[in-house]
């Protein structure tokens, strides 16, 4: 495991059948805020394809910052303000109460989702709204309600309406079938974007959440592609001899930082997508790869073994002399900036295990965030509260999410086989 994920070129060994990911909550947070999410009333009698209240409950619970009340412990099932007995919810230890209902208009085939959030102690309404859409939008509306509740309770914007990209592998006889998939942040409604018999690695979202850059080996050697996630249209943006790897977008979406070995050694380059111009950033005998742009676009963190082993370095986005960031341990790689640019998350090796760690850029203090043995490919949620990464569980590859502050954790295994290379989308306008 000397190189582990250093080049991010070796992916997956076992098989996978394509399906939605499933959620397994491993650890909650003792500081989670109690919120009762009452089942939403079906006010039209029309069968509903989705349980809105359950979607909201599951979203909030995954955050680690909110602990929804078990439905079996509820003393009543109100759907409107006049049906609420706040004393009962106070006795149950709830700080907030969410009620609502779903109506269906047959002529227009439109569903209306009504919701209201109340502060149990003050008995005041915190927020309320009515969402509308066709049946296929019911799940989106559930995520939107969860986002609103999460922000009202924590003051932090929710990420339940965002998406995740990941790579899977299915064994079919002697053949490998690689798939690039996109799903809701909870792993549901997976969509296949690309299917190939050769590896697909390093998916990276564009800042507007509409495109993915990734590496495909379909031509027997690595090449970087950019694909529209809605239309499926894709463009090959690099096809140089040797290594074409590790694409990451600039914050303005006009450039990609990439790793190329076209001049003989693995170096960092910036590809301007507007005119296909290429600028070399590093020039060293060592391997430089896995670049990450800071949120303000001014600096780039990357992995290099110029010090004798993989470590994290920081340099100006226009080039210049890098400075080393990590000194603890012999292996540190795959840096990713926090949303506010004050920290870098990365893969750290200690005692034979690979874990996700964080480094405070001002104080230099580092912290181990995960406790499993083979953690890799961290990607930060757009609100900065969670990190998704790949790991091993019960002998197979799964995705996992850890709360940056809460320490809560849940996994997203596939129903069969392995899943790798997660990338959390930015906020997406739908």
């Amino acid at each position: 495991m000397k190189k582990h994920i250093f080049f991010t070129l070796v992916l997956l060994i076992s098989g996978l059948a394509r399906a939605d990911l499933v959620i397994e909550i491993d650890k909650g947070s003792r500081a989670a805020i109690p919120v009762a999410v009452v089942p939403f009333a079906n006010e039209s009698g029309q069968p509903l394809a989705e349980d809105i209240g359950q979607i909201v409950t599951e979203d909030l619970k995954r955050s680690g910052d909110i602990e929804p009340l078990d439905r079996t412990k509820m003393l009543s099932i109100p759907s409107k303000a006049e049906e609420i007995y706040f004393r009962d919810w106070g006795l149950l230890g709830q700080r907030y109460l969410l009620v609502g209902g779903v109506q269906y208009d047959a002529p227009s085939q439109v569903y209306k989702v009504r919701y209201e959030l109340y502060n149990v102690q003050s008995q005041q309404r915190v927020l309320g709204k009515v969402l509308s859409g066709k049946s296929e939008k019911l799940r989106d509306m559930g995520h939107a309600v969860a986002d609103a509740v999460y922000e009202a309770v924590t003051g932090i914007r929710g990420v339940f309406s965002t998406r995740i990209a990941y790579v899977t592998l299915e064994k079919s006889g002697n053949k490998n079938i690689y798939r690039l998939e996109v799903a809701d942040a909870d792993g549901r409604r997976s969509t296949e974007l690309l299917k190939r018999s050769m590896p697909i690695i390093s998916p990276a979202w564009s800042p507007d959440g509409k495109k993915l850059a990734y590496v495909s080996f379909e031509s027997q050697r690595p090449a970087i592609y950019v694909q529209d996630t809605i239309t499926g249209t894709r463009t090959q943006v690099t096809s140089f001899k040797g290594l074409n790897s590790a694409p990451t977008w600039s914050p303005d979406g006009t450039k990609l930082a990439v790793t190329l070995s076209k001049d003989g050694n693995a170096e960092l380059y910036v590809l301007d997508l507007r005119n296909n111009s290429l600028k070399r950033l590093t020039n060293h005998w060592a391997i430089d790869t896995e670049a990450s742009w800071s949120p303000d676009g001014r600096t780039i963190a990357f992995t290099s073994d110029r010090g004798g082993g993989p470590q994290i370095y920081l340099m100006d986005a226009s080039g210049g002399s890098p400075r080393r960031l990590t000194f603890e341990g012999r292996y540190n790689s795959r840096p990713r900036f926090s949303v506010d640019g004050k920290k870098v998350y990365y893969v750290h090796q200690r005692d034979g295990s690979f874990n996700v760690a964080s480094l405070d850029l001002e104080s230099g203090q580092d912290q181990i965030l995960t406790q499993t043995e083979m953690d890799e490919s961290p990607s930060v949620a757009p609100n900065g509260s969670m990190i998704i990464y790949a790991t091993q569980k019960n002998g197979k590859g799964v995705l996992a999410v850890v709360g940056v502050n809460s320490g809560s954790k849940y996994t997203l295994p596939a129903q069969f086989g392995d899943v790798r290379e997660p990338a959390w989308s930015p906020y997406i306008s739908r």
Side-chain angles (χ1 to χ4, degrees), residues 291-311:
S292 175
W293 298 78
S294 62
D296 62 9
R298 296 179 179 177
T299 57
I300 289 178
F302 64 98
T303 307
S304 177
D305 65 351
R306 62 184 60 203
Q311 297 292 339

Side-chain angles (χ1 to χ4, degrees), residues 32-45:
I33 301 169
V35 177
V37 180
V38 181
F40 280 37
N42 186 344
E43 298 174 343
S44 302

Side-chain angles (χ1 to χ4, degrees), residues 192-224:
E192 177 186 296
L193 293 187
L194 188 69
K195 177 181 176 181
R196 292 292 183 268
S197 60
M198 298 296 288
I200 304 166
I201 61 173
S202 304
W205 289 93
S206 61
D208 62 6
K210 296 179 179 179
K211 298 178 180 179
L212 279 170
Y214 57 86
V215 178
S216 174
F217 286 72
E218 61 195 70
S219 61
Q220 307 301 316
R221 60 187 179 90
I224 298 174

Side-chain angles (χ1 to χ4, degrees), residues 12-330:
L12 313 173
I13 302 177
S14 58
L16 176 74
R18 178 173 173 263
D20 287 354
L21 305 181
V22 294
I23 297 173
E24 299 174 1
I25 295 180
D26 301 317
K27 179 183 177 183
S29 171
R30 293 182 180 180
I33 301 169
V35 177
V37 180
V38 181
F40 280 37
N42 186 344
E43 298 174 343
S44 302
Q46 177 77 16
L48 299 177
E50 300 284 356
D51 183 338
I52 300 297
Q54 188 63 26
I55 293 172
V56 176
T57 296
E58 292 173 354
D59 281 350
L60 296 178
K61 188 172 183 63
R62 286 198 327 276
S63 73
D65 298 314
I66 294 176
E67 182 58 42
L69 179 67
D70 190 314
R71 287 183 174 184
T72 63
K73 297 180 180 179
M74 295 181 182
L75 303 178
S76 59
I77 309 294
S79 64
K80 300 176 181 178
E82 56 268 27
E83 300 172 350
I84 298 174
Y85 294 92
F86 286 101
R87 181 177 177 274
D88 290 348
W89 300 101
L91 291 173
L92 291 171
Q94 302 306 294
R95 288 175 59 181
Y96 294 90
L97 173 68
L98 179 71
V99 298
V102 182
Q103 293 182 344
Y104 176 70
D105 181 70
S108 64
Q109 297 183 329
V110 168
Y111 290 86
K112 291 186 177 181
V113 176
R114 169 188 56 81
Y115 68 94
E116 296 175 284
L117 180 69
Y118 289 88
N119 182 305
V120 173
Q121 183 176 5
S122 68
Q123 301 185 15
Q124 298 296 309
R125 192 175 88 155
V126 177
L127 59 83
K129 195 173 181 179
V130 177
L131 307 176
S132 61
K134 301 284 189 177
S135 60
E136 64 270 17
K137 293 294 184 180
L138 278 172
R139 194 160 192 87
D140 292 319
M141 289 188 278
H143 291 320
V145 175
D147 283 333
V149 171
Y150 181 84
E151 184 169 6
V153 171
T154 67
I156 302 171
R157 186 176 178 182
V159 293
F160 310 117
S161 297
T162 59
R163 311 203 78 192
I164 56 173
Y166 52 92
V167 176
T168 63
L169 172 63
E170 178 183 357
K171 286 282 189 179
S172 179
N174 295 325
K175 294 183 178 180
N176 294 332
I177 300 175
Y178 295 85
R179 291 186 174 93
L180 175 62
E181 309 243 7
V182 171
D184 288 1
D186 60 1
R188 300 286 297 276
R189 298 194 296 187
S190 62
T191 301
E192 177 186 296
L193 293 187
L194 188 69
K195 177 181 176 181
R196 292 292 183 268
S197 60
M198 298 296 288
I200 304 166
I201 61 173
S202 304
W205 289 93
S206 61
D208 62 6
K210 296 179 179 179
K211 298 178 180 179
L212 279 170
Y214 57 86
V215 178
S216 174
F217 286 72
E218 61 195 70
S219 61
Q220 307 301 316
R221 60 187 179 90
I224 298 174
Y225 295 80
V226 172
Q227 183 164 343
D228 189 298
T229 61
I230 304 300
T231 66
T233 302
R234 70 179 192 140
T235 304
Q236 184 174 333
V237 296
T238 70
S239 57
F240 298 105
K241 180 180 178 181
L243 191 67
N244 297 258
S245 188
T248 53
W249 296 82
S250 62
D252 64 4
T254 64
K255 304 178 184 70
L256 287 175
V258 299
T259 298
L260 305 175
S261 63
K262 68 184 187 68
D263 297 320
N265 192 56
E267 305 285 356
L268 295 185
Y269 294 78
V270 172
L271 173 65
D272 193 318
L273 296 173
R274 295 167 295 186
N275 54 22
N276 291 321
S277 63
L278 198 63
K279 179 181 180 181
R280 184 169 176 170
L281 292 185
T282 60
N283 190 354
H284 198 276
W285 56 262
I287 297 173
D288 298 328
T289 187
E290 298 179 335
S292 175
W293 298 78
S294 62
D296 62 9
R298 296 179 179 177
T299 57
I300 289 178
F302 64 98
T303 307
S304 177
D305 65 351
R306 62 184 60 203
Q311 297 292 339
I312 309 300
Y313 291 78
L314 191 69
M315 69 182 301
D316 192 274
S318 60
S321 299
R323 68 179 178 91
R324 184 170 168 176
L325 289 181
T326 55
F327 293 90
E328 291 293 325
R330 299 174 60 184

